[in-house]
Amino acid sequence: MAFVGTQSVSCSSSSTTSGFKYDVFLSYRGSDTCKNFTDHLYAALKQKGIFTFRDDEKLERGTFIDLELLRVIEESRFVVVVISENYTSSNPSDVRNLKNTFGEAFAKHEEFFKDNIEEVYRWKAALTQVAKIAGWDLRDKHEANVVEEIVRKISNKLISTYLIVHKDFVGTNSRMEELVNLLGMGLNDIRFIGIWGIQGLGKTTLAQVVYDRFRYYFDGSSFLVNVREECGKHGLVHLQKQLLFDILIERNINFSDVQWGSNVIEKRLCNKSVLIVLDDVDQLDQLEALASERVWFGQGSRVIITTRDQHLLIKHDVARAEIYKAKELNSDEALQLFSRKAFKKDHPLEGYVELSKKAICYAQGLPLALNVLGPFLKHRSPEHGKVP
């Protein structure tokens, strides 16, 4: 194995308009890597949820890249190029200067494609450019470490390209700032953070925004929604298995009781940096089964717990300084959210101002109530749109 490089793709106007279909196009050549390094890299990218195109046949069948494959490249955010020569000692300078086996290969191409020599020159120029890209020379390095480093770099680059829109989540900025301060991102400790408040304050939505923003900074992540309800329907073992599957991407982890599941979680995740959200927890045994101790997780891990019961967090040794109390929307935020739901605007329509003010007074700043009342008023005249 010689050299691996990554490069962002310059998008055409069509790609910009319609968006990218793949996160990564994995470019490689030859059977010497498809079952070794390239396969390991592909699996690691997939495990991280990075949508990767791997060409298994087309590049092996012919020399020219067909139009279909060029289209796929244009639809990919990044290209990872694996340059190899049967695991020998070739290196980036050999590629860049077309020496040794690379020089020999192009000499053959020039002879074979002498009637289309300009195409060969284009290949030379392209390969020379690839070799100039900052990348990884695998000589005397452990493949697993290089794979991990590549995946981490791509994950971090992808974060800045994702535009996560949480529709109608009004008042997020100030609340996010407070919660992010509690998270202490970048610190190497292990933290349990609580979000508590009455039903309808948007605790789950706030946790979801944080999760979507930071999940790619961790080795693995899991968002268990409605723990209280799911536990009642399916039991704690089901939730333990879901947690492990989300983080490890393994379906064959099997155990039959909660204590066994707790042991598996501790042993399998103690060396991983993870982000976990346990949503709507209402019993201490749920926390003990899913995130009993901080030592269950690797350094830098964060566990976010949403609940209606502040004392549950205290019983679970969540520090008071790491508990965030969800807040009602102020009158301006409430009016904006209600208007979006009722009129698809940031303000009430003419003739609906007084009715809208009555609605937000009735809702008392609860996002859930506003989400229900807004659609109720949609398409109704002011005289028929009474607040219930």
Side-chain angles (χ1 to χ4, degrees):
M1 176 64 58
F3 179 73
V4 184
T6 64
Q7 181 73 4
S8 59
V9 178
S10 299
C11 57
S12 65
S13 58
S14 60
S15 297
T16 305
T17 303
S18 60
F20 292 99
K21 187 174 181 180
Y22 302 98
D23 292 322
V24 173
F25 180 92
L26 187 52
S27 176
Y28 63 99
R29 174 77 169 169
S31 60
D32 52 335
T33 70
C34 67
K35 294 182 180 180
N36 297 291
F37 176 81
T38 300
D39 192 52
H40 298 153
L41 178 58
Y42 176 77
L45 290 166
K46 185 178 178 181
Q47 196 268 347
K48 272 291 188 181
I50 298 172
F51 194 25
T52 304
F53 182 91
R54 175 177 62 172
D55 184 84
D56 292 323
E57 298 178 356
K58 292 177 182 174
L59 286 178
E60 294 299 319
R61 288 203 302 261
T63 305
F64 290 97
I65 299 177
D66 61 26
L67 293 177
E68 177 69 14
L69 208 54
L70 288 174
R71 181 185 61 78
V72 173
I73 294 172
E74 281 197 341
E75 292 176 343
S76 303
R77 292 182 185 274
F78 298 95
V79 170
V80 176
V81 182
V82 182
I83 300 173
S84 62
E85 196 266 319
N86 297 319
Y87 277 83
T88 60
S89 58
S90 57
N91 56 64
S93 65
D94 290 341
V95 182
R96 185 165 50 248
N97 299 315
L98 300 180
K99 298 189 301 183
N100 299 331
T101 56
F102 293 96
E104 294 170 7
F106 270 99
K108 293 178 181 178
H109 286 325
E110 288 175 355
E111 177 63 27
F112 189 78
F113 294 102
K114 57 186 176 182
D115 294 331
N116 194 15
I117 195 67
E118 290 184 1
E119 190 71 20
V120 178
Y121 292 156
R122 286 179 57 200
W123 297 343
K124 279 187 175 182
L127 191 60
T128 302
Q129 286 300 113
V130 166
K132 292 178 181 179
I133 299 171
W136 293 263
D137 187 346
L138 267 69
R139 291 175 300 171
D140 301 322
K141 291 185 179 179
H142 294 288
E143 285 189 1
N145 293 339
V146 175
V147 167
E148 183 179 354
E149 188 177 348
I150 293 172
V151 173
R152 185 187 306 113
K153 182 173 183 178
I154 292 175
S155 294
N156 290 338
K157 284 181 175 290
L158 283 173
I159 290 169
S160 63
T161 69
Y162 294 153
L163 178 60
I164 300 171
V165 178
H166 290 270
K167 189 177 180 182
D168 297 334
F169 187 47
V170 177
T172 178
N173 290 338
S174 59
R175 292 160 177 80
M176 273 288 293
E177 185 177 348
E178 292 182 56
L179 191 54
V180 169
N181 286 337
L182 295 184
L183 281 174
M185 291 298 297
L187 300 178
N188 208 34
D189 57 352
I190 303 167
R191 295 192 182 188
F192 284 8
I193 294 97
I195 304 175
W196 80 278
I198 62 173
Q199 183 180 10
L201 281 173
K203 301 183 296 295
T204 301
T205 306
L206 183 58
Q208 186 71 61
V209 173
V210 172
Y211 180 81
D212 289 339
R213 178 174 172 182
F214 292 110
R215 59 180 296 196
Y216 296 99
Y217 288 93
F218 297 82
D219 296 332
S221 61
S222 176
F223 194 117
L224 296 182
V225 182
N226 297 327
V227 168
R228 173 177 57 86
E229 182 179 338
E230 290 297 311
C231 183
K233 287 181 179 179
H234 307 291
L236 282 170
V237 170
H238 168 79
L239 288 171
Q240 289 176 320
K241 289 180 178 179
Q242 183 62 52
L243 175 69
L244 288 165
F245 171 74
D246 290 345
I247 295 173
L248 302 175
I249 318 297
E250 292 184 30
R251 289 196 180 276
N252 60 346
I253 299 176
N254 195 26
F255 45 85
S256 56
D257 63 70
V258 174
Q259 185 56 55
W260 189 359
S262 297
N263 292 338
V264 174
I265 292 173
E266 179 182 6
K267 298 303 181 184
R268 295 297 302 273
L269 303 185
C270 64
N271 292 314
K272 280 185 173 292
S273 168
V274 297
L275 174 62
I276 296 171
V277 176
L278 306 178
D279 172 57
D280 196 19
V281 175
D282 71 337
Q283 298 294 329
L284 189 60
D285 65 339
Q286 297 161 0
L287 293 175
E288 291 174 343
L290 298 166
S292 180
E293 304 286 344
R294 287 166 175 76
V295 294
W296 281 19
F297 311 108
Q299 292 300 307
S301 293
R302 300 291 184 265
V303 177
I304 300 173
I305 304 160
T306 77
T307 182
R308 305 174 198 178
D309 185 357
Q310 181 187 18
H311 295 291
L312 183 64
L313 298 170
I314 296 171
K315 289 178 184 176
H316 198 56
D317 293 329
V318 179
R320 289 184 180 272
E322 294 179 347
I323 298 177
Y324 173 81
K325 184 182 184 303
K327 300 177 179 65
E328 298 85 358
L329 298 178
N330 62 39
S331 57
D332 291 336
E333 293 168 341
L335 185 61
Q336 182 182 16
L337 177 57
F338 178 81
S339 299
R340 288 185 181 181
K341 289 296 181 179
F343 316 114
K344 294 187 176 181
K345 294 180 179 295
D346 285 339
H347 52 79
L349 295 179
E350 185 177 352
Y352 289 86
V353 175
E354 291 305 316
L355 187 60
S356 298
K357 288 182 178 179
K358 289 181 180 179
I360 65 172
C361 182
Y362 178 85
Q364 297 184 335
L366 296 180
L368 179 60
L370 292 163
N371 285 332
V372 172
L373 290 173
F376 174 80
L377 188 61
K378 192 179 294 183
H379 306 307
R380 293 173 183 260
S381 61
E383 59 270 19
H384 292 100
K386 296 180 179 179
V387 177

